[in-house]
Amino acid sequence: MKIKRFNKIIKTSLILFLLTMFNCASSNSTFKYKCSKFYKNNFKTTTIKKYKTIFNKDTIAFNEIRYGCVNTAFKTSKIMFDKFGKWDKEIYPTNLNSPILLWEKVDLFSNGIEYKVYTNGDEKKGNIYASIMIFDGNNNDLLTEKYLEKSKFINYFGNLIKENKHKGDDFYREFSTVRSKLKDLN
């Protein structure tokens, strides 16, 4: 039992480390489309971006859902905050303007199944996307091609973006404090 818990801790630490590395690399990537319009409660494109790396002779891959042409790179963070409250952890990658936010043990579908949800996003001239990464309790990526229900997550978060009418400033007040921490680290 202790070995299983130890392996889970190691896997979680590895995921956090690799997310930091992947998101640093992805911030320098070019977008394949340009937005002619940015949507407050909608998006133009949905893509799944796959990252691969080799760690100790193992290939590790992560996937993120990117909602393109949203009005802010923080859109997925805001919808998670509005629905589930403040995040549990912040990840401060170098070379990014914003932290990655993590919600642990989130029951997305009110069915007793808990997920880890990471939010991120990026803004470049002519494009903005907000993204989500989703893992189960054992740190399995639920957006892989072999996971048959990944469209459930794509639709779920897409609907949250479309339905998000919350105009309060609570998210932005909380988020501004973590962004200032990132500036202090860089």
Side-chain angles (χ1 to χ4, degrees), residues 79-96:
I79 62 172
M80 283 294 294
F81 180 88
D82 290 348
K83 185 148 179 86
F84 299 103
K86 189 176 177 187
W87 51 91
D88 297 305
K89 291 182 184 174
E90 301 126 17
I91 301 166
Y92 294 96
T94 56
N95 300 330
L96 282 184

Side-chain angles (χ1 to χ4, degrees), residues 23-87:
N23 280 292
C24 290
S26 73
S27 68
N28 296 322
S29 65
T30 57
F31 297 111
K32 293 184 179 182
Y33 56 89
K34 295 285 182 190
C35 299
S36 58
K37 180 179 177 182
F38 298 100
Y39 300 91
K40 185 174 182 176
N41 293 102
N42 208 343
F43 48 92
K44 182 178 180 181
T45 62
T46 305
T47 57
I48 294 184
K49 177 75 176 172
K50 184 176 229 172
Y51 300 102
K52 285 185 180 180
T53 191
I54 297 175
F55 184 80
N56 288 341
K57 298 181 182 180
D58 291 327
T59 300
I60 300 171
F62 298 97
N63 295 279
E64 77 178 351
I65 305 168
R66 290 184 176 180
Y67 297 93
C69 303
V70 292
N71 67 329
T72 173
F74 318 127
K75 181 60 88 177
T76 50
S77 298
K78 183 181 182 317
I79 62 172
M80 283 294 294
F81 180 88
D82 290 348
K83 185 148 179 86
F84 299 103
K86 189 176 177 187
W87 51 91

Side-chain angles (χ1 to χ4, degrees), residues 43 46-48 63-67 76 79-80 83-84 103 106-111 113-119 130-137 140-162:
F43 48 92
T46 305
T47 57
I48 294 184
N63 295 279
E64 77 178 351
I65 305 168
R66 290 184 176 180
Y67 297 93
T76 50
I79 62 172
M80 283 294 294
K83 185 148 179 86
F84 299 103
W103 282 260
V106 178
D107 188 353
L108 294 174
F109 304 106
S110 300
N111 61 2
I113 300 172
E114 295 178 334
Y115 303 94
K116 291 180 183 178
V117 179
Y118 296 81
T119 61
S131 66
I132 294 272
M133 291 187 197
I134 306 159
F135 296 84
D136 66 13
N140 295 310
D141 182 353
L142 300 180
L143 300 175
T144 63
E145 291 182 20
K146 67 181 179 182
Y147 187 71
L148 302 176
E149 295 186 31
K150 69 180 173 182
S151 63
K152 176 171 74 170
F153 295 110
I154 294 168
N155 294 331
Y156 178 78
F157 288 104
N159 288 333
L160 286 180
I161 289 171
K162 292 175 185 176

